[in-house]
DNA sequence: CTGTTAGCGCGTTCAC
DNA sequence: GTGAACGCGCTAACAG
């Protein structure tokens, strides 16, 4: 059993207990290739390590190798929804399977220039929601960060944008199949999330074009019943019968706006969200929405990171059934 | 301007450029007390550092001092809401003001035993939503973690529970002032969040007792309209006219259940949530809820961490106006 | 006062 | 399988 009350256990302690040198401990514990070590010794070392509750110091390891096994995820400074939470959970699990530790930094960039952050942490990879400038990318690369990934459009090097277009496309397809031809698109009010909204709208547009439907009419919908009812009225005036919302919150706002405007959902206006947050299924009417299979995306992200660390090519995302429609009553 | 394309800049580089020794660089950059260094030299060093874009290696510094300036926050394995996100944002900002970096780890404890995590990271402090066992606490302490804080009830050493009772109390007070006397309490379905639910219920109970009202009748409310309507019926049968929900999602479920059961809100049943999530104000009727001033709590948490690192006494949380009722139509 | 020299902390890895 | 040097910043001891 591990002795919990002692000072930090170092590899020297393990070496002493196992009766070997520190080098040997390192070789055994890291399964170093082309170092032949007898099975007996290996066992003694491993036992000793277990007995002492040895965990190598990340600091020392990082110092020596110049690279830590930490993957840094920079959260955007705009309000994040609950999807992000589960997202990160999945990602953490997926990375852990590869021996990597996910660490998330929620700070606005104001707190501390992000440069300081990665110079300090020396992460193996950096994943960010927002894009980096080319200068930032270059700086990070040359500082030893093996992979820089942006989840938004602007990622130059590695392509990795979560299939946002796909999200929009699924929405439009669902609505088109239900017989709607004049679609609306509901933009979020916050300009900071345009990064995500744009590709989704592009997906909707693409689907419309493919089916020779008119271009969707986009409106910005604040998360406020009064303002939303105004948008609803304008859509009605344009002959729009169904709208794709940027996400569930915006969709909920439209529901509230429709209620206020006396417009029946889905009778007079069908509404679709994105994310399938809990309130979506509790809404009136229950909201039809679209979800992304987080586990698959997370696994892919993890695989991409691992590939980059070994400078191998990035895997391709199995785009198949990642985005699914959750059909309820609003559309 | 910083040269972005070079290999990592070390203190030796700065020393060379400034024409001093590495020790001097360290003294200057850390404002080491009882080391007097001429203004001129200080400037040269600082200029050199700025010019090179020098940022000390966290690894080396941690290795040497045995303690990093990272504060590790362990997320619970139960689904986290959006409040948590803003929570962490505030906390990060507050800690940054003290030169500390917040880092969040979302993994379920299954991924990787948490012991490995902090043995590896050597954080200055660990903040967790769930409690630790006494053994875990002891182990962390002796490994150099200066503060272990649990946001739930069980925190032995440092008292720091976010004022959950206060949340419940405010709910009950608001309802009582509105003339309700028979209150209900809506438990979340997920047993993992009982940690948070219990103290809130205790707050409700306390407020009721103080006003000689009957004990609130607690029911578990799944996040599902059908199940929720069943709960609503049972409350009605018991003469309950107002219910405090564990959080907004549960409250939304009650709203959906009431709709289904044909019970008018707030006419026949008043409902209050907690958190003021966006869907709350978009609900039908708009949800009356209770919010906590995250910025204040975050600042307090940060102050507590800093105090502990300097082994000073923890500050007391200004419990005054931290919890506020957001009055809308559901109660 | 001002600033330098030297060794530590801990895991990794090359040469013997 | 081992000895020893290395990576980088901190700080006690010490010299102008």
């Amino acid at each position: 059993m591990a002795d919990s009350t002692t000072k930090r256990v170092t590899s020297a302690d393990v070496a002493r207990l196992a009766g070997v040198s520190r080098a040997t401990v390192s070789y055994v514990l890291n399964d170093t290739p082309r170092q032949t070590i007898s099975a007996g010794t290996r066992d003694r070392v491993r036992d000793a390590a277990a007995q002492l509750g040895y965990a190598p110091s990340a600091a020392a390891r990082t110092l020596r190798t110049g690279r830590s096994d930490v993957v840094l995820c920079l959260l955007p400074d705009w309000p994040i929804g609950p999807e992000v939470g589960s997202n990160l959970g999945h990602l953490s699990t997926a990375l852990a399977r590869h021996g990597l530790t996910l660490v998330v930094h929620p700070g606005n960039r104001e707190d501390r220039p992000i440069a300081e952050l990665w110079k300090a942490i020396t992460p193996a990879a950096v994943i960010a929601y927002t894009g980096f400038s080319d200068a930032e990318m270059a700086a990070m690369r040359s500082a030893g960060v093996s992979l820089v990934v942006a989840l938004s459009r602007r990622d130059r090097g590695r392509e990795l944008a979560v299939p946002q277009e796909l999200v929009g496309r699924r929405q439009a397809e669902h609505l088109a199949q239900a017989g709607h031809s004049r679609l609306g698109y509901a933009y979020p009010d916050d300009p900071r999330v345009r990064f995500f909204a744009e590709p989704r709208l592009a997906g909707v547009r693409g689907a419309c074009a493919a089916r020779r439907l008119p271009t969707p009419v986009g409106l910005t919908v604040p998360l406020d019943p009064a303002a939303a009812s105004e948008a609803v009225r304008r859509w009605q005036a344009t002959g729009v019968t169904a709208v794709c919302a940027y996400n569930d919150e915006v969709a909920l706002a439209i529901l509230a706006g429709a209620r206020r405007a006396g417009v029946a959902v889905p009778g007079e206006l069908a509404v679709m969200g994105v994310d399938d947050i809990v309130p979506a299924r509790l809404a009136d009417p229950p909201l039809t929405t679209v979800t992304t299979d987080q586990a698959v995306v997370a696994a892919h992200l993890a695989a991409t990171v691992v590939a980059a660390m070994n400078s191998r090519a990035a895997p391709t995302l199995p785009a198949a059934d990642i985005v699914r429609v959750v059909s309820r009553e609003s559309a």
Side-chain angles (χ1 to χ4, degrees), chain A residues 162-171 173 199-200 203 290 319-323:
Chain A
V162 185
Q164 301 296 342
E165 298 83 359
L166 203 51
V167 168
R169 202 181 320 152
R170 282 277 187 284
Q171 286 182 305
E173 284 169 357
R200 288 182 188 178
V290 136
D321 302 327
I322 287 187
V323 179

Side-chain angles (χ1 to χ4, degrees), chain A residues 196-328:
Chain A
F196 275 152
E198 289 301 350
R200 288 182 188 178
L201 171 53
V204 173
R205 267 205 206 100
C208 285
R211 292 165 181 252
R212 324 250 163 164
L213 299 183
T215 304
V217 6
L219 289 179
T220 294
V221 179
L223 300 175
D224 164 83
S229 81
E230 184 49 39
V232 168
R233 258 187 287 270
R234 287 179 55 190
W235 271 315
Q236 291 267 295
T238 342
V240 164
T241 61
V243 5
C244 307
Y246 162 70
N247 68 7
D248 285 348
E249 294 189 346
V250 173
L252 255 18
I254 298 173
L255 255 32
R259 212 149 38 219
R260 203 173 242 255
V263 171
V265 175
E268 300 175 77
L269 188 69
V271 180
M272 275 189 83
V274 175
D275 282 344
D276 194 19
I277 63 179
V278 167
R281 65 167 178 271
L282 300 173
D284 179 29
L287 190 66
T288 293
T289 188
V290 136
T291 31
T292 303
D293 188 332
Q294 305 290 3
V296 172
V297 173
H300 173 250
L301 212 42
T304 303
V305 170
V306 173
M309 289 178 58
N310 305 325
S311 44
R312 290 200 315 267
T316 52
L317 178 62
D321 302 327
I322 287 187
V323 179
R324 221 180 66 249
V325 171
V326 179
S327 190
R328 284 197 273 252

Side-chain angles (χ1 to χ4, degrees), chain A residues 12 24 38 44 60 119 133 140 152 164 170 178 230 253 280 306 317 330:
Chain A
T24 305
S38 73
R44 291 214 319 286
K119 275 187 189 171
S133 68
M140 295 174 69
S152 74
Q164 301 296 342
R170 282 277 187 284
E230 184 49 39
V306 173
L317 178 62
S330 73

Side-chain angles (χ1 to χ4, degrees), chain A residues 92-182:
Chain A
S92 175
T93 308
L95 287 171
R97 262 196 277 278
H98 294 280
L100 296 171
T101 302
L102 176 65
V103 138
V104 182
H105 183 79
N108 339 16
R109 302 201 172 193
E110 319 314 322
D111 292 355
R112 158 179 296 234
I114 63 159
E116 287 224 353
L117 195 57
W118 56 257
K119 275 187 189 171
I121 306 262
T122 326
V126 175
I127 300 175
Y129 278 73
T130 58
F132 295 102
S133 68
D134 290 344
E136 282 177 318
M137 298 261 294
M140 295 174 69
R141 280 261 164 59
S142 66
V145 178
S146 72
L147 175 68
V148 179
V149 160
L151 263 33
S152 74
R153 302 228 55 29
R154 308 191 52 255
D155 47 351
R156 304 246 167 278
R158 303 265 176 178
E159 184 56 54
L160 200 95
V162 185
Q164 301 296 342
E165 298 83 359
L166 203 51
V167 168
R169 202 181 320 152
R170 282 277 187 284
Q171 286 182 305
E173 284 169 357
H174 181 83
L175 260 16
Q177 269 167 27
H180 296 280
S181 56
R182 250 195 117 51

Side-chain angles (χ1 to χ4, degrees), chain A residues 56-70:
Chain A
S57 146
R61 170 182 263 142
T62 300
L63 181 55
R64 178 61 228 212
T65 62
R67 176 166 294 96
S68 72
D69 62 353
V70 165

